[in-house]
Amino acid sequence: MSCDFELGEPLHLTNDGGIYRIINHNYNKHTKIPNIAVKLIDPSENTNYKKEIIITKIASDSEISPKVFDSCTVKLDGKLMYGLVFEYLDNAKTLDYILNDKKLNKRIVSEIKILLDVMYNNGIIHNDLHGENVLFNKSGRPYLIDFGMSELKKQRIPSNKRDYIIELSGPGYPVILNLKDETLTKIVFNRRTFKTTEEVFDIKD
């Protein structure tokens, strides 16, 4: 089905497409969601686009990811692209930002873990969990995004196969967030010995 809207400004460009604002559409006719965008996928650059669309819709229906309204096709620069119309979290903060802003706490960790458990219960393995793929709306509610590398299994993921580790961007070296143990592991580089050590901290209330 062809997309029934016009493309606006690009918000984020990728190798296989990008995210664009849309104009002259009716998706927000029965909703209060103000910002709606489309993720365009070039099927010649992303052969897994059908799987990504299916999994993203499941994630949206389970309220793991921002709301998905539609999937359709659109021509961009003469190329046929597949589009996923979704709620765009304008001015959203990433988990990396929350960490660097020193506002990471047990409530946030607990809510992200719940999201992951809902995802695993739906048979989804994300395969690209990092700080930039966890977004927060203005109310502080977290969402998972970017299911381009994900897998969909026929049954829920067993507890011993669930991953609760998220790598965050730290100053110079990564910070590892363990949602299950509620700990942060900071990788510290010693300039004198040229070796790295690990410092583990508990997440505060």
Side-chain angles (χ1 to χ4, degrees), residues 22 24-36 69:
I22 61 174
N24 298 331
H25 63 85
N26 293 314
Y27 291 114
N28 58 1
K29 189 174 183 180
H30 303 292
T31 179
K32 295 181 180 179
I33 295 174
N35 298 306
I36 299 177
F69 291 92

Side-chain angles (χ1 to χ4, degrees), residues 13-189:
L13 297 177
T14 61
N15 291 332
D16 64 347
I19 296 174
Y20 291 76
R21 288 196 189 277
I22 61 174
I23 55 178
N24 298 331
H25 63 85
N26 293 314
Y27 291 114
N28 58 1
K29 189 174 183 180
H30 303 292
T31 179
K32 295 181 180 179
I33 295 174
N35 298 306
I36 299 177
V38 61
K39 178 177 182 178
L40 296 184
I41 305 171
D42 183 349
S44 66
E45 297 290 339
N46 183 346
T47 57
N48 294 320
Y49 68 93
K50 289 184 179 179
K51 180 182 70 173
E52 180 179 353
I53 289 173
I54 291 170
I55 293 176
T56 304
K57 284 183 174 180
I58 294 172
S60 168
D61 290 343
S62 304
E63 298 185 346
I64 301 167
S65 70
K67 181 175 178 58
V68 171
F69 291 92
D70 196 9
S71 60
C72 53
T73 58
V74 62
K75 277 195 173 183
L76 178 66
D77 298 330
K79 270 189 175 182
L80 184 66
M81 309 282 280
Y82 284 84
L84 198 60
V85 183
F86 68 102
E87 175 189 4
Y88 181 70
L89 299 181
D90 203 10
N91 297 321
K93 293 182 178 180
T94 69
L95 186 51
D96 285 330
Y97 184 97
I98 298 293
L99 171 71
N100 294 328
D101 205 30
K102 297 181 180 179
K103 292 183 178 179
L104 186 64
N105 55 43
K106 286 190 175 183
R107 178 194 65 80
I108 291 173
V109 167
S110 176
E111 289 186 5
I112 298 171
K113 186 176 181 294
I114 290 171
L115 281 185
L116 292 184
D117 279 327
V118 174
M119 179 185 75
Y120 290 132
N121 288 341
N122 279 276
I124 300 171
I125 301 175
H126 193 283
N127 286 329
D128 194 23
L129 279 175
H130 56 76
E132 294 291 326
N133 280 343
V134 182
L135 296 186
F136 295 82
N137 65 13
K138 292 180 179 179
S139 300
R141 200 273 203 198
Y143 291 93
L144 304 180
I145 64 165
D146 196 354
F147 291 85
M149 297 176 63
S150 60
E151 302 173 57
L152 181 61
K153 304 297 184 181
K154 293 182 179 179
Q155 55 191 9
R156 61 190 295 172
I157 309 302
S159 57
N160 63 337
K161 298 263 182 89
R162 299 186 177 195
D163 185 9
Y164 295 102
I165 304 296
I166 300 180
E167 184 174 308
L168 308 180
S169 295
Y173 285 84
V175 178
I176 309 301
L177 170 61
N178 187 322
L179 297 169
K180 194 170 184 179
D181 296 341
E182 296 186 341
T183 59
L184 277 176
T185 299
K186 295 185 178 181
I187 312 298
V188 181
F189 178 69

